[in-house]
């Protein structure tokens, strides 16, 4: 047992009036000194009363406390005070421990409220989004219908334009537009008789050449329209253009016609330029001899 | 036993306790308080009266011209107190026996202490309200828990306040004394009020 524990027990015995004679006299002597024993004894007494109030005392000590303190009004009051203070402190502790639980519940409810609020807000927000999407959907439906109607109209217009284009192409002296992969060759022909076929300009055609442009040079002018035809020396007609109404022929530039390369037979061919007068009669303006050579 | 000290006798008592009158007056209060506790811890029925009896006897000896040559005058007071206590031992024994009889006779002493505790609790609440909040909190924390947990709590409190545990113990002792005095005064006032309301019963003890 430690000295402190010995001391504590001695002080408690003194307070209970159960100290052995020598021990009591020694403590009486200390109490008479201008020291701190009184405080020590009072603290020991309070500890004793608090232990009694808490029910911590063993039966013997409890009996001694009751014998002393229950015997007098002042003693009972001291015991009552110790019990009251103990109860008040216990209530305080219970309250302090309850606060976190309350705070926890409050926090939980706050979270639920916040979560619920968030869900409500989210719901409202989603409803707003749905409304906006419905409006957009209706707008898109209307717009789709408009676009479909426009598409139909455009297709009709495209078909009409295509028809017009084909018509124009058919009537064009240049003939049909070449395909993207087409290869076009141009040959400039000048009018005049040639001594023989060997002296005529040559047009070499390969399989890759799909279109041929003939630029017919001529000094003729004043006709309402022109027509170009391609013939063999024997008079067989291979191709004939629609009437061409060109602007005034520029000096140094000829009349250009485009015709499929397949039109050309190998050998000597003659291109004939005819003009329609204002009276409606047709006159041969010039002819052009060329020699066609096929390779590949 | 009523105090019979006149002004002259009281002045002589103070002279015994020290040359400085104020310090001597303070020491007088300390000695008297110690004497009251001395008799209380010996189970005397009326410790305050016995303490006054001690003071009265010492003053009388001084008035009779007795020279008290003690290094510690308070020791002289406690010597007289032991004599008084021995004289009253028979009375104390009788008191304790009578108390024990009263305890045995009383129909339910626990009920009485419980009633007093309830009254003290109401007064304590009132008295706590007069304390500063931090002091109130300190008191309530200091007296929480039991056993080793209480010891740990008090050590922790002392560390928080950056004071020695012994210093905290004395500080709390003073606070408790103030509270207990406040509660005691409150109970006295309540008792007076209750007595005023209660119809007088012939033969009822007034002690």
């Amino acid at each position: 047992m430690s000295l402190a524990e010995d001391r504590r027990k001695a002080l408690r015995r003194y307070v209970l009036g159960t100290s052995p004679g020598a021990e009591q006299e020694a403590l009486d002597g200390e109490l008479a000194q201008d020291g701190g024993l009184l405080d020590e004894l009072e603290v020991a007494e309070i500890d004793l009363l608090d232990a009694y109030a808490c029910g911590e005392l063993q039966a013997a000590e409890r009996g001694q406390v009751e014998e002393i303190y229950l015997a007098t009004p002042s003693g009972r009051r001291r015991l009552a005070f110790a019990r009251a203070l103990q109860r008040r402190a216990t209530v305080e502790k219970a309250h302090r421990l309850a606060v976190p639980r309350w705070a926890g519940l409050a926090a939980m409810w706050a979270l639920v409220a916040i979560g619920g609020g968030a869900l409500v807000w989210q719901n409202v927000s989603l409803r707003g989004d749905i409304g906006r999407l419905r409006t957009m959907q209706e707008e898109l439906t209307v717009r789709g219908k408009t676009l479909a109607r426009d598409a139909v109209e455009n297709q009709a217009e495209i078909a009409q334009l295509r028809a017009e284009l084909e018509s124009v192409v058919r009537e064009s002296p240049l003939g049909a537009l070449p395909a993207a992969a087409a290869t076009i060759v141009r040959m400039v022909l000048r009018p005049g008789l040639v001594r023989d076929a060997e002296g005529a300009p040559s047009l070499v055609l390969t399989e890759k050449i799909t279109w041929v442009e003939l630029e017919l040079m001529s000094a003729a002018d004043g006709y309402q329209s022109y027509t170009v035809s391609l013939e063999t020396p024997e008079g067989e007609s291979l191709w004939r253009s629609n009437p061409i109404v060109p602007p005034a022929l520029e000096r140094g530039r000829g009349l250009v016609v485009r015709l499929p390369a397949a039109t050309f037979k190998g050998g000597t061919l003659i291109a004939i330029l005819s003009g329609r007068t204002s009276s409606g009669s047709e006159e041969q303006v010039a002819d052009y001899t060329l020699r066609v050579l096929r390779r590949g | 036993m009523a105090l019979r000290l006149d002004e002259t006798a009281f002045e002589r008592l103070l002279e015994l306790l020290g040359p400085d009158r104020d310090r001597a007056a303070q020491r007088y209060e300390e000695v008297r308080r110690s004497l009251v506790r001395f008799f209380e811890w010996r189970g005397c029925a009326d410790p305050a009266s016995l303490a006054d009896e001690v003071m009265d006897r010492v003053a009388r000896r001084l008035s009779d011209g007795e020279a008290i040559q003690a290094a510690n005058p308070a020791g002289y007071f406690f010597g007289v107190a032991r004599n008084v206590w021995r004289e009253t031992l028979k009375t104390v024994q009788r008191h304790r026996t009578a108390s024990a009889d009263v305890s045995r006779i009383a129909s339910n002493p626990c009920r009485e202490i419980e009633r007093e505790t309830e009254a003290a609790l109401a007064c304590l609440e009132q008295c706590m309200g007069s304390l500063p909040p931090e002091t109130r909190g300190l008191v309530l924390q200091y007296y929480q828990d039991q056993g080793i947990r209480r010891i740990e709590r008090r050590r922790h409190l002392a560390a928080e306040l950056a004071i020695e545990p012994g210093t905290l113990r004395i500080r709390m002792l003073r606070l408790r004394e103030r509270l207990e005095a406040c509660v005691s005064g409150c109970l006295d006032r309540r008792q007076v009020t209750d007595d005023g309301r209660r119809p007088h019963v012939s033969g009822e003890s007034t002690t």
Side-chain angles (χ1 to χ4, degrees):
Chain A
M1 195 178 290
S2 67
L3 287 174
E5 184 64 11
D6 282 344
R7 176 77 169 175
R8 191 187 70 79
K9 288 195 169 183
L11 295 178
R12 183 169 282 197
R13 282 193 294 270
Y14 187 88
V15 166
L16 286 170
T18 57
S19 302
E23 183 181 270
Q24 191 177 50
E25 278 190 28
L27 289 173
D28 283 345
E30 270 192 64
L31 189 60
Q33 300 294 319
D34 187 8
L37 183 64
L38 181 62
D39 286 342
E40 270 191 82
L41 285 168
E42 288 190 328
V43 168
E45 183 188 32
I46 285 171
D47 287 346
L48 183 69
L49 293 176
D50 288 342
Y52 175 83
C54 293
E56 291 175 342
L57 293 182
Q58 291 186 347
E61 273 190 327
R62 185 175 185 84
Q64 289 164 350
V65 168
E66 288 177 346
E67 187 179 347
I68 293 171
Y69 290 91
L70 289 179
T72 62
S74 63
R76 283 197 296 273
R77 185 166 284 187
R78 297 210 70 192
L79 269 186
F81 177 81
R83 283 160 58 103
L85 186 57
Q86 186 62 41
R87 285 186 193 177
R88 182 64 183 82
T90 303
V91 168
E92 178 71 12
K93 184 182 180 185
H95 175 70
R96 196 161 47 82
L97 291 175
V99 167
R101 283 200 293 273
W102 174 86
L105 282 173
M108 189 183 74
W109 281 109
L111 281 175
V112 168
I114 290 168
L119 285 173
V120 169
W121 180 86
Q122 196 175 15
N123 193 10
V124 170
S125 177
L126 286 172
R127 284 175 186 276
D129 288 346
I130 290 170
R132 281 191 292 278
L133 286 171
R134 279 183 179 162
T135 305
M136 284 175 67
Q137 187 183 27
E138 289 170 1
E139 288 174 358
L140 286 172
T141 303
V142 172
R143 197 174 167 191
K145 286 178 181 175
T146 305
L147 287 172
R149 191 170 57 246
D150 290 348
V152 171
E153 289 175 358
N154 287 338
Q155 282 177 355
E157 192 175 355
I158 288 168
Q160 186 180 352
L161 287 172
R162 189 186 300 276
E164 287 177 6
L165 181 62
E166 287 175 355
S167 173
V168 168
V169 167
R170 255 196 325 273
E171 294 172 358
S172 168
L174 296 177
L177 290 171
T183 302
I184 303 172
V185 294
R186 174 174 283 202
M187 175 177 264
V188 179
L189 295 173
R190 297 182 186 281
L193 294 172
V194 293
R195 283 179 298 182
D196 51 31
E198 294 299 327
S202 298
L203 173 65
V204 180
L205 295 177
T206 63
E207 289 181 357
K208 290 183 179 178
I209 296 169
T210 50
W211 295 88
V212 176
E213 286 182 350
L214 297 176
E215 184 174 1
L216 305 176
M217 306 301 290
S218 172
D221 199 1
Y223 292 94
Q224 299 294 314
S225 64
Y226 296 91
T227 303
V228 178
S229 61
L230 184 66
E231 294 175 4
T232 63
E234 292 79 21
E236 181 188 358
S237 178
L238 299 174
W239 178 80
R240 182 180 175 86
S241 74
N242 293 316
I244 303 167
V245 185
L249 291 173
E250 294 179 16
R251 187 176 297 274
R253 294 198 63 178
L255 182 71
V256 179
V257 293
R258 179 187 298 139
L259 58 164
T263 308
F264 293 87
K265 284 186 176 178
T268 302
L269 296 174
I270 299 168
I272 300 168
L273 176 62
S274 302
R276 184 178 297 278
T277 64
S278 56
S279 62
S281 62
E282 186 176 278
E283 298 174 350
Q284 184 171 332
V285 177
D287 58 23
Y288 307 86
T289 304
L290 67 157
R291 194 159 60 108
V292 176
L293 301 172
R294 284 198 166 272
R295 290 183 181 170
Chain B
M1 254 178 271
L3 181 65
R4 293 180 291 272
L5 276 181
D6 59 18
E7 193 172 342
T8 308
F10 185 66
E11 287 299 326
R12 285 183 180 166
L13 266 182
L14 292 186
E15 285 171 10
L16 176 67
L17 291 170
D20 182 271
R21 192 177 185 281
D22 290 340
R23 176 73 187 96
Q26 186 182 340
R27 185 70 185 127
Y28 171 86
E29 289 300 327
E30 288 171 0
V31 170
R32 185 178 180 277
R33 184 163 152 258
S34 296
L35 289 171
V36 171
R37 306 315 313 273
F38 171 94
F39 288 112
E40 268 186 11
W41 290 327
R42 278 167 168 77
C44 298
D46 194 354
S49 293
L50 291 174
D52 289 338
E53 172 63 22
V54 172
M55 291 296 185
D56 196 37
R57 287 189 187 187
V58 174
R60 202 179 307 140
R61 290 178 189 177
L62 288 171
S63 297
D64 292 345
E66 188 175 328
I68 299 172
Q69 305 291 335
N72 175 26
Y76 185 82
F77 284 87
F78 275 88
V80 175
R82 273 191 293 275
N83 291 333
V84 171
W85 172 64
R86 285 190 195 101
E87 290 168 17
T88 58
L89 260 181
K90 283 188 178 179
T91 311
V92 169
Q93 289 300 332
R94 279 201 306 273
H95 175 75
R96 284 191 171 177
T97 305
S99 297
D101 289 343
V102 167
S103 296
R104 281 195 295 272
I105 291 166
S107 58
N108 194 341
C110 290
R111 184 177 295 173
E112 189 178 354
I113 191 68
E114 180 59 31
R115 186 185 59 78
E116 289 207 33
T117 301
E118 289 298 325
L121 196 55
C123 285
L124 179 65
E125 200 63 42
Q126 190 178 318
C127 292
M128 294 279 278
S130 65
L131 291 176
E134 61 274 16
T135 307
R136 184 166 60 241
L138 181 63
V139 170
L140 291 174
Q141 280 196 65
Y142 188 82
Y143 288 105
Q144 281 173 20
D145 293 326
Q146 298 175 19
I148 190 70
R149 292 175 71 182
R150 170 177 279 191
I151 293 169
E152 287 298 323
R153 173 180 290 280
R154 291 178 177 182
R155 191 179 299 161
H156 199 71
L157 274 174
E160 279 182 358
L161 295 168
I163 56 176
E164 289 297 318
T167 308
L168 176 64
R169 203 175 302 127
I170 299 302
R171 187 180 292 181
M172 297 312 298
L173 173 66
R174 302 287 174 251
L175 271 171
R176 185 179 174 127
E177 283 172 352
R178 278 171 55 195
L179 264 181
E180 197 164 353
C182 175
V183 168
S184 189
C186 169
L187 289 171
D188 285 341
R189 287 191 295 276
R190 285 188 172 209
Q191 198 166 12
V192 168
T193 308
D194 289 348
D195 287 347
R197 288 174 185 160
R198 194 165 46 194
H200 178 71
V201 178
S202 179
E204 185 181 21
S205 172
T206 55
T207 53

